[in-house]
Amino acid sequence: MQCHAQLSSTFYDRTCPNALTTIRTTIRQAISSERRMAASLIRLHFHDCFVQGCDASLLLDETPTIVSEKTALPNLGSVRGFGIIEDAKREVEKTCPGVVSCADILAVAARDASSLVGGPSWTVKLGRRDSTTASHTLAETDLPGPFDPLSRLISGFANKGLSTRDMVALSGSHSIGQAQCFLFRDRIYSNGTDIDAGFASTRRRQCPQEDQNGNLAPLDLVTPNQLDNNYFKNLRQRKGLLQSDQVLLSGGSTDDIVLEYSNSPRAFASDFAAAMIKMGDISPLTGQNGIIRTVCGAIN
């Protein structure tokens, strides 16, 4: 039986009362110097939680005994922001050594990132502990991919206890951030009926049929640095960048949710916040399980 230990928003109130303020200062500095970092930090929390639960396993570097998740295909060359999390951890360690977990810092950083780029804020539940293991294998299988059909996206999130509505709301994080050319090349050269022709031709300029794999394009062309509901409006115009974006509005069970969010920024914001809280609840290590890492990239 899975013991569902309680996380609590007041977990550090006595042991490290300034923890959240300290983390926020680091995150604010990082995002003010590079807006795109907000997307990267939200994605770090997501890619952590979907592999072994929210245990900071993603942050562990390769060692003779640990096969890092960082080198798994969904993360390799694209997951970033590790240094920002280490910065936040270092600052927290100065005032409260050995108290605040890297897993909790990831959860707080994602919330702060959202609110700093115009997205919703929420009360983060705390008390996660850090893993002593990583799983490269699960990172290869459990993370949703940019080419996944709708059924696979739905089942992948359901396996983690997240509803279809949660999945669509969380996809709205693609209102910020960028994707590499090789992840959307097939879509923009497909001449498919599910992509706006003008949008495709604009995207081809930075993404030739050969080479330039790493060239970046914003996931949301309209307000690329603002976490808002424009992502859903784009889908209505067949301007989703990734196949896994546009598939949310393709005659399937998620169409109604996309239309609702495109019409109501408030509905999207409140569902996004709720889904992020639920995601942060995926299989945390609590109590005597796990450790508090001193440095997020290594076991003490």
Side-chain angles (χ1 to χ4, degrees):
M1 180 190 122
Q2 189 186 4
C3 168
H4 197 71
Q6 287 300 301
L7 299 178
S8 150
S9 60
T10 58
F11 191 80
Y12 296 115
D13 282 10
R14 290 213 178 104
T15 53
C16 192
N18 295 325
L20 273 67
T21 320
T22 305
I23 296 166
R24 190 179 187 87
T25 302
T26 301
I27 303 308
R28 185 186 284 118
Q29 285 166 347
I31 291 172
S32 66
S33 62
E34 188 199 6
R35 290 282 283 188
R36 180 186 167 209
M37 190 52 74
S40 302
L41 292 170
I42 291 171
R43 187 164 179 249
L44 270 183
H45 181 42
F46 166 48
H47 279 220
D48 176 38
C49 290
F50 263 58
V51 181
Q52 295 188 165
C54 308
D55 60 357
S57 60
L58 173 58
L59 304 181
L60 287 170
D61 290 319
E62 194 91 12
T63 69
T65 54
I66 291 172
V67 186
S68 178
E69 292 171 21
K70 293 181 182 181
T71 54
L73 275 174
N75 294 327
L76 186 65
S78 70
V79 168
R80 56 199 291 278
F82 298 110
I84 309 302
I85 301 299
E86 290 289 8
D87 291 345
K89 174 65 172 168
R90 197 178 310 111
E91 290 306 312
V92 171
E93 285 293 307
K94 287 177 187 171
T95 49
C96 321
V99 174
V100 181
S101 69
C102 298
D104 277 347
I105 291 175
L106 281 173
V108 173
R111 185 270 313 269
D112 291 344
S114 170
S115 68
L116 287 164
V117 292
S121 188
W122 55 89
T123 303
V124 180
K125 299 198 288 188
L126 302 160
R128 300 168 193 80
R129 289 167 66 85
D130 299 324
S131 68
T132 52
T133 60
S135 179
H136 183 98
T137 312
L138 288 177
E140 297 267 2
T141 58
D142 285 15
L143 286 161
F147 311 112
D148 284 358
L150 184 59
S151 57
R152 179 146 182 206
L153 291 171
I154 291 172
S155 64
F157 279 74
N159 290 341
K160 304 294 176 189
L162 297 166
S163 70
T164 299
R165 195 175 180 88
D166 294 328
M167 185 273 287
V168 178
L170 291 168
S171 298
S173 59
H174 284 182
S175 166
I176 50 172
Q178 305 190 46
Q180 298 183 68
C181 169
F182 76 97
L183 297 173
F184 58 84
R185 178 181 280 128
D186 288 353
R187 178 161 157 72
I188 60 172
Y189 286 100
S190 67
N191 294 319
T193 53
D194 67 343
I195 186 166
D196 175 85
F199 174 73
S201 90
T202 303
R203 285 284 147 255
R204 286 181 203 139
R205 280 182 225 146
Q206 294 295 322
C207 184
Q209 278 191 283
E210 306 286 334
D211 305 320
Q212 311 293 318
N213 277 340
N215 282 11
L216 294 168
L219 288 154
D220 167 17
L221 202 55
V222 189
T223 52
N225 289 316
Q226 198 69 12
L227 181 49
D228 55 26
N229 71 331
N230 263 319
Y231 168 82
F232 300 101
K233 296 179 183 175
N234 296 339
L235 298 183
R236 295 183 73 165
Q237 297 172 8
R238 296 175 301 145
K239 294 178 180 175
L241 187 63
L242 304 175
Q243 197 59 46
S244 58
D245 292 323
Q246 197 59 52
V247 79
L248 300 179
L249 187 64
S250 57
S253 60
T254 51
D255 285 15
D256 290 349
I257 310 170
V258 169
L259 297 176
E260 182 187 341
Y261 291 161
S262 73
N263 290 322
S264 172
R266 184 172 293 163
F268 164 58
S270 96
D271 283 3
F272 181 77
M276 287 294 287
I277 292 168
K278 260 174 92 172
M279 188 179 82
D281 276 342
I282 300 173
S283 308
L285 297 169
T286 55
Q288 296 305 303
N289 296 317
I291 60 171
I292 304 296
R293 291 189 217 137
T294 309
V295 173
C296 292
I299 291 160
N300 306 344

